[in-house]
Amino acid sequence: MKHNFGAGPCILPQEVFKEASQAVIDFNNSGLSILEISHRSKAFEAVIEEAESLVRDLLAVPNGYSILFLQGGASQQFAMVPMNLLPQTGKAAYLDSGTWASKALKEAQKFGTVQVVASSKEANYTYIPKEYDVPTDASYFHYTSNNTIYGTELFETPKSSIPLVCDMSSDILSRKINVADFGLIYAGAQKNMGPAGVTLVIVKDDLLGKTGRDIPAIFDYRKHIEAGSLYNTPAVFAIYVSLLNLRWLKAKGGIEEIERENIIKARTLYDEIDRNPLFKGAAQAEDRSRMNVTFVMNNPELEKTFLALTEERGMIGLKGHRSVGGFRASIYNALTITSINALVDLMQEFAEKNA
Amino acid sequence: MKHNFGAGPCILPQEVFKEASQAVIDFNNSGLSILEISHRSKAFEAVIEEAESLVRDLLAVPNGYSILFLQGGASQQFAMVPMNLLPQTGKAAYLDSGTWASKALKEAQKFGTVQVVASSKEANYTYIPKEYDVPTDASYFHYTSNNTIYGTELFETPKSSIPLVCDMSSDILSRKINVADFGLIYAGAQKNMGPAGVTLVIVKDDLLGKTGRDIPAIFDYRKHIEAGSLYNTPAVFAIYVSLLNLRWLKAKGGIEEIERENIIKARTLYDEIDRNPLFKGAAQAEDRSRMNVTFVMNNPELEKTFLALTEERGMIGLKGHRSVGGFRASIYNALTITSINALVDLMQEFAEKNA
């Protein structure tokens, strides 16, 4: 058995893989592969409508918000957000809490003035900045709710009188959020929603169409809203697998249940990191992510040996990002407590041997 | 048995569906699904490198050209092409030969001056305009090699002293082309290359970086070239299925063999359309597409009945686009002569009954 701790694309439920595999041969007993059906067919319209309605249901998305399944990942949203929300002579506020947050604000600078309200860069992003004021004269305030590389997460929605825009790529659908607090939420699917190739956008309709920009059609949220995510050929298979995954989440009890499990999984692993004399957490304890657990060894010389041991035990993707070093256990929705326990057991074994 | 005449996403070879289905459960005996592997893993690097090298081999792409696997489809290229090739005060030339060609030029107008060299719009795009001069003072000349909706195809590469940019979404890999004639070629995969969700771009490197524009990173071809199509998380599965399809094409004899088959398939169907007293071709004979065969009935009242009969026989996707009416048989690489014969047989049966 493999334990996939990869940071994304990442593990999805085994039953989702099975159903997806079947649909590649024969989708819904149609005699056709899901890969060869038209995106304009009734069968695919049903897929995208159910996916949208499950997102609306699971996240309790209020009226007045549209749900889109686009392409290009969060990196494309870094450009599409200012294109759609930032007037040519306008200003946007950004929180710099990690590599992706920093990339997002660099792209926004190509479209207008960017005010960085706070940054933890000087501390290698080991914490989430908290002491800052959100300007009232900016078009929106952008932040990243979970910093995949550094293993920090922002659980309390910042107070802001201007619309909040949030990159939730790595913690969407892992815990309760109040969508009404946000103007726009985006997330690359390849962590908790589905496979790589599709991007979720939830946007408050009345924020759009105010920049005065002549936006290329393909980057204009309004075009995608009018067309129900079928403005152009969408990523059919990635949306279908996302639907399977959303159904799985709904069937297991929705956000409430998955958040309960995610809390237990994260606590189990952080408790071991704190207890075990060989290991220590990389991020500040108060900002620890429930999705990406970053940790190092007190004696860095042992790290190579431990990593090799994890690989021997079928644990995948535990090497830390080069910006942090050590280890990163990505413990997204579909990763089970069995995999967490396997890692904790190995940490304990290793500590005994190296006592 | 189903005969999938859909215009795209469309039929791919049955063996590709089988291998893809297996990889969703267990990719290359890794114990992991292709949907959960990292795009930075050695296994996926091998996938994208082999896919690139097969495109280079099959299309004989010369040195000095880069091959990219991007997201967003041809519609996104409508904006990315002028972003990357058209200076702010520059001019681009476009041929208006159909709906998609017309959409492409409308997007380019957002980035500079567009000179439409010729249009067949007044004849509902039933032919490819031929009498025109390509300006020498434009940055590039854009055309669409196959007009999916109208069923016309441009086989002879236009003479041009400026770089040619071509949307080959629906005929790429279906016939021989001379890549050296082009500055940039793009194609949504979902016809002859793979499933929806990935876009092929072949670009001459020395054309890039000359516009003076501050291009968002995600839309800058140079960023994707530097990163070997891994600037951001790519559409892993769609690229993998494209690889399987490229391998299939190579194994069956490459472009030369598929072009030979495509000529026979198209001729078989057009011959019946011309011979059968009930049917007539929609496009001008000299510009008939080998990929999308559009035809109508001399008595339009019979069309509904004939369409219902095709559906009874397991033929999918034959209803013509609303802009043309009648029928459209999309006969891409993976559609076999068996399906063509089934359609021809039905046309003959129907003619006998309605003689």
Side-chain angles (χ1 to χ4, degrees):
Chain A
M1 186 194 171
K2 298 287 183 189
H3 304 286
N4 187 355
F5 289 96
C10 68
I11 190 169
L12 296 172
Q14 293 301 316
E15 44 270 61
V16 167
F17 293 145
K18 269 180 212 145
E19 269 195 89
S21 169
Q22 172 56 33
V24 172
I25 296 292
D26 185 3
F27 169 62
N28 278 358
N29 299 312
S30 62
L32 295 173
S33 166
I34 182 77
L35 304 182
E36 65 176 318
I37 66 165
S38 168
H39 61 294
R40 305 271 175 212
S41 63
K42 286 214 172 64
F44 186 68
E45 269 175 29
V47 165
I48 204 161
E49 275 168 24
E50 188 186 346
E52 186 190 319
S53 125
L54 276 168
V55 169
R56 197 170 284 280
D57 175 24
L58 287 162
L59 293 176
V61 179
N63 289 337
Y65 285 78
S66 293
I67 293 168
L68 299 173
F69 299 97
L70 306 180
Q71 293 184 57
S75 295
Q76 184 153 325
Q77 295 307 310
F78 296 168
M80 279 178 68
V81 163
M83 253 187 226
N84 281 273
L85 299 182
L86 181 56
Q88 210 103 28
T89 57
K91 181 171 89 170
Y94 277 72
L95 180 65
D96 178 24
S97 60
T99 302
W100 297 105
S102 164
K103 284 193 181 187
L105 74 88
K106 275 193 197 101
E107 293 307 313
Q109 282 166 342
K110 296 176 179 164
F111 296 91
T113 305
V114 168
Q115 179 176 338
V116 180
V117 300
S119 170
S120 50
K121 190 176 183 181
E122 92 294 336
N124 198 32
Y125 297 121
T126 44
Y127 71 97
I128 304 267
K130 284 162 208 81
E131 301 298 312
Y132 56 82
D133 291 313
V134 176
T136 55
D137 61 342
S139 297
Y140 61 88
F141 173 50
H142 178 284
Y143 75 101
T144 313
S145 55
N146 184 79
N147 299 285
T148 322
I149 292 177
Y150 302 94
T152 61
E153 191 168 2
L154 202 163
F155 292 100
E156 203 177 325
T157 307
K159 299 254 175 297
S160 170
S161 63
I162 59 175
L164 281 177
V165 174
C166 189
D167 176 357
M168 295 193 187
S169 292
S170 48
D171 62 355
I172 190 102
L173 296 163
S174 75
R175 60 182 170 94
K176 198 171 177 229
I177 54 168
N178 184 20
V179 174
D181 291 341
F182 297 88
L184 191 149
I185 292 166
Y186 63 89
Q190 66 273 13
K191 323 278 187 184
N192 284 316
M193 194 177 87
V198 60
T199 311
L200 177 70
V201 173
I202 304 174
V203 58
K204 198 168 182 214
D205 300 327
D206 66 12
L207 293 179
L208 300 176
K210 295 181 173 169
T211 65
R213 290 182 198 272
D214 195 8
I215 308 170
I218 190 76
F219 306 135
D220 188 338
Y221 295 125
R222 290 170 302 173
K223 295 280 181 195
H224 294 286
I225 291 170
E226 280 164 27
S229 292
L230 295 172
Y231 171 73
N232 65 329
T233 313
V236 172
F237 183 73
I239 293 172
Y240 175 68
V241 180
S242 298
L243 166 63
L244 297 178
N245 195 51
L246 291 162
R247 280 185 190 157
W248 167 86
L249 182 54
K250 171 85 178 166
K252 88 182 284 121
I255 299 294
E256 202 178 334
E257 172 59 19
I258 205 75
E259 181 165 15
R260 195 188 65 75
E261 292 182 16
N262 284 334
I263 289 172
I264 294 170
K265 277 153 52 186
R267 194 164 50 206
T268 305
L269 186 49
Y270 282 121
D271 280 355
E272 179 59 23
I273 290 166
D274 291 340
R275 190 208 60 76
N276 193 309
L278 299 188
F279 296 91
K280 65 177 177 197
Q284 280 199 14
E286 69 195 28
D287 295 326
R288 281 172 164 178
S289 163
R290 265 184 220 148
M291 294 289 107
N292 310 96
V293 177
T294 49
F295 54 109
V296 297
M297 296 191 84
N298 289 309
N299 176 2
E301 286 174 12
L302 288 174
E303 288 183 349
K304 226 173 155 176
T305 316
F306 184 71
L307 186 68
L309 275 176
T310 65
E311 286 164 4
E312 271 174 35
R313 300 279 176 99
M315 298 175 198
I316 311 280
L318 281 167
K319 192 169 197 287
H321 190 278
R322 64 179 184 282
S323 325
V324 179
F327 308 96
R328 172 174 55 179
S330 295
I331 57 174
Y332 298 118
N333 284 357
L335 188 97
T336 63
I337 189 77
T338 311
S339 295
I340 303 277
N341 289 339
L343 175 57
V344 166
D345 287 350
L346 185 61
M347 290 166 77
Q348 292 179 352
E349 267 180 56
F350 196 65
E352 279 164 32
K353 272 187 209 143
N354 292 276
Chain B
M1 186 195 170
K2 298 287 185 192
H3 304 285
N4 188 353
F5 290 95
C10 69
I11 190 170
L12 296 173
Q14 293 301 317
E15 45 269 61
V16 167
F17 293 146
K18 269 181 210 144
E19 269 195 87
S21 169
Q22 172 58 32
V24 171
I25 296 293
D26 186 2
F27 169 62
N28 278 0
N29 299 312
S30 63
L32 296 173
S33 165
I34 182 76
L35 304 181
E36 65 176 319
I37 66 164
S38 168
H39 60 296
R40 306 270 176 213
S41 63
K42 287 213 172 67
F44 186 68
E45 269 175 29
V47 166
I48 204 162
E49 276 168 24
E50 187 185 344
E52 187 191 319
S53 123
L54 276 168
V55 169
R56 197 171 284 280
D57 175 23
L58 288 162
L59 293 176
V61 179
N63 288 336
Y65 285 78
S66 293
I67 294 167
L68 298 173
F69 299 97
L70 306 180
Q71 293 183 57
S75 295
Q76 184 154 324
Q77 294 307 309
F78 297 169
M80 280 178 69
V81 163
M83 254 187 226
N84 282 272
L85 300 182
L86 182 56
Q88 210 104 28
T89 56
K91 182 172 89 172
Y94 277 71
L95 180 65
D96 179 23
S97 60
T99 302
W100 297 105
S102 164
K103 285 194 182 186
L105 73 88
K106 274 193 199 101
E107 293 306 313
Q109 283 166 342
K110 295 175 181 164
F111 295 92
T113 304
V114 167
Q115 179 178 337
V116 180
V117 299
S119 171
S120 49
K121 190 175 183 182
E122 93 293 338
N124 198 32
Y125 297 122
T126 43
Y127 70 97
I128 305 268
K130 284 162 209 86
E131 301 298 312
Y132 56 82
D133 291 313
V134 177
T136 54
D137 61 340
S139 296
Y140 60 87
F141 173 50
H142 178 284
Y143 76 101
T144 312
S145 55
N146 184 78
N147 299 286
T148 321
I149 292 178
Y150 302 93
T152 60
E153 191 167 4
L154 203 163
F155 292 101
E156 203 177 326
T157 307
K159 298 255 173 298
S160 170
S161 63
I162 58 175
L164 281 177
V165 174
C166 188
D167 176 357
M168 294 192 188
S169 291
S170 47
D171 62 354
I172 190 104
L173 295 164
S174 75
R175 59 180 169 97
K176 197 168 178 234
I177 53 168
N178 183 21
V179 174
D181 290 342
F182 297 88
L184 191 148
I185 292 165
Y186 63 88
Q190 67 272 12
K191 321 279 186 181
N192 284 316
M193 194 178 85
V198 61
T199 311
L200 177 70
V201 174
I202 304 174
V203 58
K204 199 169 181 214
D205 300 326
D206 65 13
L207 292 180
L208 301 175
K210 296 182 173 169
T211 66
R213 291 183 197 272
D214 196 9
I215 308 169
I218 190 76
F219 305 135
D220 188 336
Y221 294 125
R222 291 169 302 173
K223 295 280 182 196
H224 294 286
I225 292 170
E226 280 164 26
S229 292
L230 296 172
Y231 171 74
N232 66 329
T233 312
V236 171
F237 183 72
I239 294 172
Y240 175 67
V241 180
S242 298
L243 167 62
L244 297 178
N245 196 51
L246 291 163
R247 280 184 189 157
W248 167 84
L249 182 53
K250 171 85 179 165
K252 88 184 286 93
I255 299 295
E256 201 179 333
E257 171 59 20
I258 205 76
E259 182 166 13
R260 195 187 65 77
E261 291 181 17
N262 286 333
I263 289 173
I264 294 171
K265 278 154 52 186
R267 194 166 47 206
T268 305
L269 186 48
Y270 282 122
D271 280 355
E272 179 59 25
I273 290 166
D274 291 340
R275 190 207 61 77
N276 194 308
L278 299 188
F279 297 91
K280 64 176 176 195
Q284 280 199 12
E286 67 195 27
D287 295 326
R288 281 172 166 179
S289 163
R290 264 183 222 149
M291 294 288 106
N292 311 98
V293 177
T294 50
F295 54 109
V296 297
M297 295 189 83
N298 289 310
N299 176 3
E301 286 174 14
L302 289 174
E303 289 184 350
K304 228 173 153 175
T305 316
F306 184 71
L307 186 68
L309 276 177
T310 65
E311 285 165 4
E312 271 175 35
R313 301 277 177 100
M315 298 176 199
I316 312 279
L318 280 168
K319 191 169 199 289
H321 191 277
R322 65 179 181 283
S323 324
V324 179
F327 307 95
R328 173 175 53 178
S330 295
I331 57 174
Y332 298 118
N333 285 357
L335 188 97
T336 63
I337 188 79
T338 311
S339 295
I340 303 279
N341 289 337
L343 176 57
V344 165
D345 287 349
L346 185 61
M347 289 165 77
Q348 293 178 353
E349 267 180 59
F350 196 65
E352 278 163 34
K353 271 186 211 144
N354 292 274

